[in-house]
Amino acid sequence: MVAYNFRPMFASPVEIGRKRQTIRAHRKDGRHAKPGDALQLYEGMRTKNCRKLRDATCTATIPVRIETQRLTVGNTDLRAIGIAGDEMLMDIFAQADGFIDWQDMRDWFQKTHGLPFNGVLIRW
């Protein structure tokens, strides 16, 4: 079983099932969920206010890279696809992760982790 903690801004979307993915930095031990792994999703882990949001099963683990003007998921550069407009596709991806749009997601990752950001997309 793999546990993930969510900041308060993401807790409600995770709990109600609207947010069904998370982007995480690479871990030093290399351990992240793999497809088929049981997930426990929490808010406030390691605090007295810890609460479980839900149980889930990992369906995909995909490398992700976020740059100032580019989003790459696996081997797919979403900026280069051109389906329904590059920006729109990036907005859809960002909304699936709990952000308002691509700019909101990019700005959050810039502030929180710095860009470029290399990590992993975990879906359930």
Side-chain angles (χ1 to χ4, degrees), residues 65-72 77-79 90 102:
R65 180 175 171 90
I66 301 169
E67 300 173 62
T68 304
Q69 296 297 322
R70 180 175 300 215
L71 172 62
T72 306
D77 180 350
L78 296 184
R79 187 81 176 150
M90 293 165 69
W102 158 247

Side-chain angles (χ1 to χ4, degrees), residues 4 15 21 26-27 39 53 57 69 81 85:
Y4 289 102
E15 189 170 32
Q21 68 182 36
H26 291 295
R27 294 172 44 141
L39 304 177
L53 302 172
T57 301
Q69 296 297 322
I81 290 177

Side-chain angles (χ1 to χ4, degrees), residues 58-124:
C58 178
T59 59
T61 303
I62 306 164
V64 66
R65 180 175 171 90
I66 301 169
E67 300 173 62
T68 304
Q69 296 297 322
R70 180 175 300 215
L71 172 62
T72 306
V73 181
N75 293 323
T76 305
D77 180 350
L78 296 184
R79 187 81 176 150
I81 290 177
I83 299 172
D86 299 333
E87 227 25 67
M88 180 183 263
L89 191 58
M90 293 165 69
D91 286 345
I92 291 167
F93 181 87
Q95 290 163 0
D97 205 58
F99 295 95
I100 296 167
D101 58 19
W102 158 247
Q103 288 182 329
D104 184 38
M105 183 173 108
R106 181 198 57 209
D107 293 348
W108 188 89
F109 273 89
Q110 171 67 48
K111 180 180 174 186
T112 306
H113 298 285
L115 296 180
F117 171 85
N118 289 295
V120 63
L121 170 69
I122 300 154
R123 288 194 169 146
W124 60 86

